[in-house]
Amino acid sequence: MKQRKSRWLAKTMLSVSLMSFCSISLAKVEKQENEQIRDGGIASFYSDKLHGRATTSGETYDKYEMTAAHKSLPMGTRLRVTNLKNNRSVIVKVNDRLRRPNKHIVDLSKKAAKELGFVHAGLTKVRIEILAS
């Protein structure tokens, strides 16, 4: 009888432990999926002379498209870029790499820079949020 109770107790404790471990793991996965990674820094935009040239992804740079260069994010990643000076934001696709050395966090197409309102300034402070990879 005593042995039966101890087996039952051991099985119950093991089941409870496994259930709590699984629920913690699921909670962490859900949090990571819903979490948007944010970063801030200086943005610039491509020169007109680069229009029509190949990007790192193999696409042709088009100053009329909503694209960006980033130092490490995967090609095709969608970003929301917000100009911190006027709170305007755009969604762009990463299709190129920043040239090294570069202190900027993102280099935008001319259309994106116009939408954000910093073409005349050349540089602006921005926040980027990763939307999808």
Side-chain angles (χ1 to χ4, degrees), residues 35-55:
E35 210 172 82
Q36 291 181 339
I37 300 171
R38 296 179 182 197
D39 194 10
I42 303 294
S44 57
F45 65 95
Y46 282 88
S47 165
D48 282 343
K49 69 181 181 181
L50 297 174
H51 181 71
R53 292 193 183 177
T55 62

Side-chain angles (χ1 to χ4, degrees), residues 87-121:
N87 213 31
R88 291 184 191 174
S89 65
V90 296
I91 296 176
V92 295
K93 180 180 80 170
V94 174
N95 72 344
D96 203 4
R97 290 282 171 239
L98 285 171
R99 306 295 177 242
R100 293 182 195 226
N102 198 329
K103 294 181 181 178
H104 305 154
I105 63 165
V106 68
D107 201 3
L108 301 168
S109 64
K110 191 160 189 180
K111 181 177 181 181
K114 280 184 180 179
E115 296 272 331
L116 291 174
F118 76 96
V119 170
H120 295 293

